[in-house]
Amino acid sequence: MSFQGSGTTLNDQVLTGDNVPVIVDRCITHVEVHGLKEKGVYRTAGQSSRVQALLDEFRRDALSVSLNEYPVAEVADTLKRFLRELDDSVFERINYPAWISAAGCTELSRRLYSYEYYLKKMPSVHFNTLKRIILHLHQVAEHCGVNKMPITNLASCFAPSLMRTNKDKVHLTGEVYSQEIKIIIDLLENKDFFFH
């Protein structure tokens, strides 16, 4: 593996100065520049073979990838696929039950302070990656009049990719899935509380 290559955890990635994987930062920046007003951004699927090819390029040498030839849908899909294919989720498998339990609290302030506790326990790369994604999704939602992607739609698109990976064996009921979505909605709606 070359110096520029990446593995299958967040810590294995080539990182930006802000401690965020280059692949995450580059995909987000591309969407912010070219896709904030694109209808269904993050809901429209890219061509699977091209998404895989782009992901492979990032894994070989994240710093030299050019996104000029890729439409927004494929770049957006690459970000979600990258997150799903990690060995452990951004939220970390070990803390998944605690996050789901916290989401079940009906009192918003208690829920937010529980989330804050678990955010502070996150490794730096996980926290900074989540922060970058949440602030980006909030920016996407600010254009929902055009792109038709309000916070609720974005949360349903990203909750599975942020909270679980393809390697997780979670018995997913409708209630658990709705708790995942609630967590992402809460983070988006209270971004300034969590990510000053």
Side-chain angles (χ1 to χ4, degrees):
M1 187 185 300
S2 72
F3 173 73
Q4 255 72 14
S6 63
T8 54
T9 71
L10 285 175
N11 285 317
D12 291 336
Q13 308 305 309
V14 179
L15 302 174
T16 67
D18 293 328
N19 228 7
V20 172
V22 168
I23 180 174
V24 172
D25 188 66
R26 294 278 311 284
C27 289
I28 284 174
T29 299
H30 186 81
V31 172
E32 288 174 351
V33 171
H34 302 287
L36 289 180
K37 296 181 178 178
E38 189 159 311
K39 189 174 179 181
V41 63
Y42 288 117
R43 194 175 286 292
T44 306
Q47 185 180 328
S48 185
S49 61
R50 284 176 53 86
V51 169
Q52 188 60 54
L54 179 55
L55 189 52
D56 292 343
E57 269 189 74
F58 270 115
R59 287 183 174 142
R60 274 191 305 277
D61 188 351
L63 295 172
S64 68
V65 173
S66 170
L67 297 175
N68 296 337
E69 303 302 314
Y70 290 93
V72 170
E74 290 174 356
V75 175
D77 227 7
T78 298
L79 174 61
K80 291 191 298 181
R81 187 176 293 187
F82 165 75
L83 296 169
R84 283 194 310 268
E85 292 183 1
L86 289 168
D87 283 346
D88 196 6
S89 71
V90 173
F91 278 81
E92 296 182 288
R93 183 177 296 115
I94 193 169
N95 290 319
Y96 181 85
W99 278 97
I100 296 301
S101 176
C105 179
T106 55
E107 189 184 322
L108 178 63
S109 62
R110 285 186 61 203
R111 214 165 54 238
L112 299 188
Y113 283 110
S114 293
Y115 297 160
E116 184 182 39
Y117 172 78
Y118 292 110
L119 285 169
K120 286 180 177 174
K121 289 178 64 171
M122 275 186 174
S124 173
V125 175
H126 288 248
F127 177 84
N128 289 317
T129 300
L130 181 62
K131 177 181 178 179
R132 179 74 171 102
I133 291 169
I134 292 295
L135 295 180
H136 164 65
L137 295 180
H138 194 275
Q139 190 177 356
V140 173
E142 287 177 338
H143 294 83
C144 68
V146 181
N147 64 33
K148 308 302 181 198
M149 293 299 286
I151 282 175
T152 50
N153 288 9
L154 290 163
S156 66
C157 284
F158 269 85
S161 300
L162 289 170
M163 308 253 355
R164 291 175 276 114
T165 73
N166 293 342
K167 293 178 169 61
D168 287 314
K169 306 290 184 246
V170 176
H171 177 66
L172 200 64
T173 64
E175 182 183 348
V176 171
Y177 180 61
S178 68
Q179 300 294 55
E180 291 179 352
I181 293 171
K182 182 195 273 187
I183 291 165
I184 305 303
I185 289 172
D186 283 343
L187 293 180
L188 285 164
E189 290 181 340
N190 298 279
K191 68 176 177 57
D192 294 334
F193 175 77
F194 298 115
F195 307 114
H196 349 283

